[in-house]
Amino acid sequence: MDEKLAKVDPKLLDLLVCPLGKTRLVYNRETNELISEAAKVAYPIRDGIPIMLVSEARRLED
């Protein structure tokens, strides 16, 4: 497994919420991002660490 695509701890996923919408996040293994369906943004994961900054989030296309 590529170290940059380190698996996210499922317990951590249960605790994290989107800073914009305060909703649950879904892990996308292909893009290595945490997706907020409600806010339509994706937060990157770098070296196994979710970057939960709105300024770092990528807007999702409709």
Side-chain angles (χ1 to χ4, degrees):
M1 175 184 258
D2 186 342
E3 289 181 26
K4 297 223 183 245
L5 298 177
K7 188 174 182 180
V8 176
D9 184 347
K11 292 178 186 176
L12 181 61
L13 265 181
D14 287 340
L15 298 173
L16 291 176
V17 294
C18 174
L20 288 173
K22 309 297 187 241
T23 56
R24 293 182 60 104
L25 298 163
V26 177
Y27 176 58
N28 183 320
R29 176 180 265 162
E30 290 179 17
T31 61
N32 200 38
E33 296 173 316
L34 294 176
I35 307 294
S36 170
E37 300 278 338
K40 297 189 190 269
V41 294
Y43 298 96
I45 300 172
R46 297 187 189 123
D47 298 323
I49 300 169
I51 310 300
M52 302 302 298
L53 300 171
V54 175
S55 61
E56 293 287 322
R58 176 177 66 85
R59 296 292 285 155
L60 298 176
E61 300 298 321
D62 289 332

